[in-house]
Amino acid sequence: MSPELTGFTNVQKIAPTIIVDLRYATTNNFTHQVIYDFTTAIVRTGTAHKLAAANQALATLGYRLKIWDAYRPVSAQKRLFNVYPDLEFVAKPNPNFSHQKGVTLDLTLTDLAGNECPMPTAFDDFSPLAHRDAPRTAIQNHYYQILNTAMTQAGFVGYENEWWDYRDTDMASFQPLAADPNDYQ
Ligand SMILES: C[C@@H](N)C(=O)N[C@H](C)C(=O)O
């Protein structure tokens, strides 16, 4: 992978219409604790370009992406795992994995005004209803398919147990890398 793609990028710098609402920067998450001290969503630059392509495709259909989590330091993963050590829904701390190396996003779909579309569950609903093969209502399935098509066509793969978790298909090409998102505002 070229060196220009392996650093970190603030996703809103290349896709300003993406909404960022980092839930672990607030107490509005499953831990009820503030997990980290930043509100800027960063991912590896190659991943950011793919995300911008997904958001652009969605814009033509009248939708936007809303990000709930992006790069997550290993220290934050430790806090999440301490509260909910269930590998189905929270990964073990590991600098070479997923959010912790900046190749994964937790996200949902909104309309152009920023209103969230109906999806299978709330964010971090750690129940079987979050699984990608769970039964969905027709309306939930409609919006899920719009999101899933845009993300997979842009080069992401969805984690089977969480409908909101999308990983760069090139994730294995990225070596571990840490950053402070506050440096990318
Ligand atoms: C905690 C949840 N939002 C999540 O990101 N789960 C995956 C499995 C992870 O911890 O990487």
Side-chain angles (χ1 to χ4, degrees):
M1 180 164 303
S2 76
E4 305 88 65
L5 300 180
T6 57
F8 281 98
T9 290
N10 175 341
V11 302
Q12 286 184 310
K13 295 272 186 202
I14 62 166
T17 62
I18 292 179
I19 300 165
V20 173
D21 176 20
L22 299 188
R23 297 279 289 271
Y24 304 131
T26 76
T27 55
N28 184 19
N29 65 68
F30 73 92
T31 71
H32 307 293
Q33 301 167 29
V34 173
I35 295 294
Y36 47 56
D37 69 350
F38 55 85
T39 56
T40 303
I42 65 167
V43 287
R44 306 299 278 270
T45 301
T47 307
H49 285 308
K50 291 183 176 187
L51 190 71
N55 192 59
Q56 183 57 41
L58 287 167
T60 67
L61 302 174
Y63 300 101
R64 300 165 70 180
L65 290 171
K66 180 174 186 174
I67 296 175
W68 287 321
D69 194 42
Y71 167 71
R72 178 192 302 161
V74 176
S75 57
Q77 190 75 28
K78 285 181 185 161
R79 290 193 192 109
L80 299 184
F81 193 74
N82 284 344
V83 172
Y84 204 86
D86 177 346
L87 293 178
E88 190 179 345
F89 293 109
V90 184
K92 268 190 186 164
N94 175 357
N96 196 25
F97 186 68
S98 199
H99 287 279
Q100 301 162 76
K101 62 175 180 176
V103 295
T104 299
L105 295 122
D106 291 341
L107 48 74
T108 192
L109 189 69
T110 77
D111 64 19
L112 290 178
N115 302 300
E116 287 184 22
C117 299
M119 296 304 272
T121 67
F123 176 48
D124 280 352
D125 175 331
F126 296 154
S127 80
L129 288 176
H131 295 177
R132 287 180 190 270
D133 63 359
R136 295 184 276 266
T137 66
I139 194 95
Q140 289 169 345
N141 192 52
H142 173 74
Y143 291 110
Y144 169 79
Q145 294 298 344
I146 291 171
L147 176 64
N148 196 52
T149 298
M151 292 300 289
T152 54
Q153 287 185 347
F156 291 88
V157 58
Y159 174 46
E160 61 185 354
N161 291 333
E162 297 176 342
W163 65 260
W164 56 80
D165 180 309
Y166 283 93
R167 300 168 181 183
D168 189 334
T169 54
D170 294 318
M171 59 193 147
S173 306
F174 290 90
Q175 299 302 307
L177 187 63
D180 181 350
N182 289 316
D183 294 338
Y184 293 81
Q185 293 173 51

